[in-house]
């Protein structure tokens, strides 16, 4: 399928590019950093995979509740309602109502809706697409600094570019959309640079829900960066599994530095 960039927004973040990159290489942080999405994001159940030295990926189920939440009194309909309020790429159309039938699940209903909407918007038949490909966060990391997302919904891409000041990063967020079959591929939109005091949420191209998540993602990276600089033992203890992608990134980085140092 052919795609084009429909959103391209960038901002200078006050932390080294590796620190900012690491913030997007695990989903475990969602419970504490993004509490509004935990009703429909099963963050602790994310599956992580490593492909050689240069590529890794996380598969994070959506339309399923975080295992950290108390399920008492929370219905499949509640999961759908929370998803529609806080998911950054799925808004209700005027007059639209989504009801979970008896015996069905939020994930199944949201998958059917996504299959219908993405087929209609792109002109591609997605009857073959699984609910995972339509709903889930399939977030790759391609060494050293590119973070494309997979699946059939409009693709979010991250890029973390070193800044002349090593204590800062140019973070770029792109959203790619599929071009309907037979149509010419339009030129990508130009990059919009946010100012020092402008939030991701303030960018109308990104939207309030997704922008708020991005602001949460980078809210504490400056403190993380500062903490690394003053560490007494100059070591970081990474989780055995949930932070396996960060460990993989640094092992690959060390290989390149050793080879070319």
């Amino acid at each position: 399928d052919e795609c084009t960039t429909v959103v391209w927004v960038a901002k200078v973040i006050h932390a080294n590019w590796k620190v900012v990159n690491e913030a997007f290489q695990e989903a475990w942080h969602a419970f504490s950093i993004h509490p509004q999405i935990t009703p429909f994001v099963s963050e602790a159940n994310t599956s992580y995979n490593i492909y050689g030295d240069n590529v890794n990926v996380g598969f994070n189920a959506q339309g399923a509740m975080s295992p950290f939440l108390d399920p008492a009194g929370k219905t499949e309909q509640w999961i759908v309602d929370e998803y529609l309020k806080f998911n950054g790429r799925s808004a209700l159309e005027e007059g639209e109502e989504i009801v979970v039938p008896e015996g069905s699940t939020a994930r199944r209903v949201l998958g059917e809706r996504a299959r219908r909407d993405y087929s209609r918007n792109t002109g591609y038949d997605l009857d073959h697409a699984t609910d995972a490909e339509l709903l889930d966060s399939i977030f790759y990391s391609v060494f050293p600094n590119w973070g494309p997302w997979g699946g059939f919904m409009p693709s979010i891409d991250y890029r973390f570019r070193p800044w002349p000041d090593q204590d800062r990063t140019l973070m770029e967020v792109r959203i790619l959309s599929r071009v309907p079959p037979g149509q010419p591929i339009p030129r990508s939109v130009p990059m919009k640079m946010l100012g020092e005091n402008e939030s991701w949420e303030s960018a109308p191209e990104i939207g309030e829900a997704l922008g708020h998540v991005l602001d949460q993602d980078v809210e504490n990276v400056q403190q993380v960066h500062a903490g690394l600089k003053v560490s007494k033992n100059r070591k970081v203890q990474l989780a055995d599994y949930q932070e396996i992608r960060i460990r993989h990134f640094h092992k690959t980085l060390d290989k390149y530095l050793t080879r070319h140092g």
Side-chain angles (χ1 to χ4, degrees), residues 25 49-51 54-58 139-141 245 248-249:
Q25 292 201 32
N49 291 269
I50 306 299
Y51 304 124
N54 299 304
V55 179
N56 60 53
V57 63
F139 51 115
Y140 286 86
S141 178
R245 296 176 67 202
H248 175 249
F249 167 73

Side-chain angles (χ1 to χ4, degrees), residues 10-97:
K11 180 176 174 63
V12 174
I13 307 297
H14 288 251
N16 182 269
W17 71 272
K18 297 183 291 295
V19 174
V20 184
N21 191 352
E22 291 168 15
F24 295 87
Q25 292 201 32
E26 47 79 22
W28 200 23
H29 68 272
F31 184 74
S32 57
I33 302 298
H34 311 299
Q36 77 277 13
I37 68 174
T38 54
F40 55 87
V41 173
S42 186
E43 78 291 271
N45 293 330
T46 299
S47 171
Y48 301 103
N49 291 269
I50 306 299
Y51 304 124
D53 281 345
N54 299 304
V55 179
N56 60 53
V57 63
F59 298 95
N60 170 240
Q62 300 211 11
M65 190 170 60
S66 165
F68 290 124
L69 294 182
D70 181 358
K74 297 177 176 65
T75 64
E76 295 294 316
Q77 185 64 54
W78 177 79
I79 295 174
V80 167
D81 293 342
E82 294 299 296
Y83 180 92
L84 294 171
K85 281 192 289 186
F86 295 113
N87 180 276
R89 293 181 286 174
S90 186
L92 278 173
E93 297 178 358
E94 186 175 355
E96 182 182 17
E97 182 181 9

Side-chain angles (χ1 to χ4, degrees), residues 33 215-225:
I33 302 298
D215 286 327
Q216 291 173 321
D217 277 322
V218 300
E219 186 175 20
N220 67 345
V221 292
Q222 186 172 358
Q223 287 76 23
V224 172
H225 175 97

Side-chain angles (χ1 to χ4, degrees), residues 175-189:
I175 298 179
L176 278 65
S177 183
R178 286 175 172 79
V179 178
Q183 291 192 14
I185 303 174
R187 293 182 64 86
S188 296
V189 297

Side-chain angles (χ1 to χ4, degrees), residues 45-258:
N45 293 330
T46 299
S47 171
Y48 301 103
N49 291 269
I50 306 299
Y51 304 124
D53 281 345
N54 299 304
V55 179
N56 60 53
V57 63
F59 298 95
N60 170 240
Q62 300 211 11
M65 190 170 60
S66 165
F68 290 124
L69 294 182
D70 181 358
K74 297 177 176 65
T75 64
E76 295 294 316
Q77 185 64 54
W78 177 79
I79 295 174
V80 167
D81 293 342
E82 294 299 296
Y83 180 92
L84 294 171
K85 281 192 289 186
F86 295 113
N87 180 276
R89 293 181 286 174
S90 186
L92 278 173
E93 297 178 358
E94 186 175 355
E96 182 182 17
E97 182 181 9
I98 299 179
V99 177
V100 180
E102 185 72 28
S104 189
T105 65
R107 185 170 171 82
R108 186 176 304 155
V109 169
L110 291 170
E112 284 298 328
R113 176 179 183 262
R115 191 172 289 107
R116 178 204 71 192
D117 288 352
Y118 300 153
S119 295
R120 181 180 61 193
N121 293 339
T122 65
Y124 289 95
D125 182 0
L126 296 180
D127 285 349
H128 66 286
T130 64
D131 290 345
E133 293 170 305
L134 292 160
L135 292 177
D136 294 349
S137 299
I138 305 172
F139 51 115
Y140 286 86
S141 178
V142 180
F143 187 85
N145 63 339
W146 181 37
W149 288 38
F152 287 100
M153 65 177 117
S155 172
I156 300 175
D157 277 25
Y158 300 134
R159 183 164 61 167
F160 310 97
R161 296 170 60 183
W163 199 244
D165 174 356
Q166 68 173 358
D167 294 336
R168 300 188 184 195
T169 302
L170 179 64
M171 176 177 167
E172 300 173 53
V173 177
R174 297 189 191 216
I175 298 179
L176 278 65
S177 183
R178 286 175 172 79
V179 178
Q183 291 192 14
I185 303 174
R187 293 182 64 86
S188 296
V189 297
M191 187 179 80
K192 174 180 178 178
M193 188 74 167
L194 294 177
E196 175 75 18
N197 297 316
E198 290 184 287
S199 65
W200 294 106
E201 189 175 346
S202 71
E205 301 92 335
I206 290 180
E208 183 177 343
L210 178 57
H212 184 52
V213 169
L214 291 170
D215 286 327
Q216 291 173 321
D217 277 322
V218 300
E219 186 175 20
N220 67 345
V221 292
Q222 186 172 358
Q223 287 76 23
V224 172
H225 175 97
L228 291 171
K229 284 197 167 190
V230 299
S231 170
K232 295 293 186 181
N233 63 8
R234 303 183 67 82
K235 295 181 180 180
V236 174
Q237 182 66 47
L238 297 173
D240 288 344
Y241 184 71
Q242 295 287 351
E243 295 177 318
I244 191 172
R245 296 176 67 202
I246 299 175
R247 184 181 297 107
H248 175 249
F249 167 73
H250 280 282
K251 283 185 174 181
T252 299
L253 182 61
D254 287 344
K255 287 182 181 180
Y256 278 88
L257 292 175
T258 301

